[in-house]
């Protein structure tokens, strides 16, 4: 059970620690008509707003995408760039597995 945090500064630090502990998997899946989509799994949707993370990634990569079923889907193959962008958002680069 996650302890309740009252102080906003403590909550911010707690989120940063959680970000660094997320095990994230990035891979490509073939969608309809042979198109590729990059899938990002492993970000805890209870602690982080997947919609907001997807929005930031889509803006940086200039692509479409969505956040659903606890994962982020981006149109196209962006595996090489996603790891760096997630690290910029505060996630631990060592725990991001790119396939």
């Amino acid at each position: 059970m996650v302890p309740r945090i009252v102080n906003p500064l403590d909550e911010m630090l707690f989120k940063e620690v959680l970000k660094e502990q997320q095990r994230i998997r990035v891979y490509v899946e073939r969608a309809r008509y042979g198109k590729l989509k990059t899938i990002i799994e492993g970000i805890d949707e209870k602690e982080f707003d997947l919609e907001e993370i997807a929005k930031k990634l889509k803006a940086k990569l200039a692509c479409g995408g969505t956040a659903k079923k606890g994962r982020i889907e981006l149109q196209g193959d962006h595996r090489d760039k996603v790891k760096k962008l997630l690290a910029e958002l505060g996630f631990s680069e060592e725990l991001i597995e790119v396939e």
Side-chain angles (χ1 to χ4, degrees):
M1 186 163 142
V2 179
R4 186 153 190 251
I5 300 169
V6 179
N7 185 344
L9 182 60
D10 288 344
E11 186 174 346
M12 194 172 72
L13 292 172
F14 182 69
K15 286 248 188 218
E16 288 303 313
V17 169
L18 274 178
K19 272 187 179 181
E20 292 174 5
Q21 294 174 348
Q22 296 293 304
R23 229 179 227 308
I24 301 171
R25 181 173 166 236
V26 180
Y27 60 96
V28 171
E29 220 175 61
R30 194 162 297 279
R32 267 196 196 165
Y33 309 112
K35 303 209 180 216
L36 298 175
K37 59 183 176 180
T38 304
I39 309 295
I40 303 163
E41 291 180 338
I43 300 173
D44 185 2
E45 62 186 317
K46 291 179 183 81
E47 295 295 332
F48 302 102
D49 185 2
L50 289 184
E51 290 287 338
E52 188 61 34
I53 294 170
K55 185 177 175 182
K56 289 177 182 177
L57 291 174
K58 291 186 313 185
K60 292 267 189 186
L61 298 169
C63 69
T66 187
K68 62 182 180 184
K69 300 178 191 168
R71 65 188 203 169
I72 297 172
E73 298 179 7
L74 302 171
Q75 295 174 352
D77 184 356
H78 301 286
R79 288 176 291 186
D80 51 341
K81 299 173 192 156
V82 166
K83 184 173 184 173
K84 185 175 139 255
L85 291 173
L86 287 173
E88 286 175 13
L89 291 175
F91 294 97
S92 174
E93 204 166 343
E94 292 83 40
L95 296 177
I96 301 172
E97 177 186 330
V98 179
E99 296 175 10

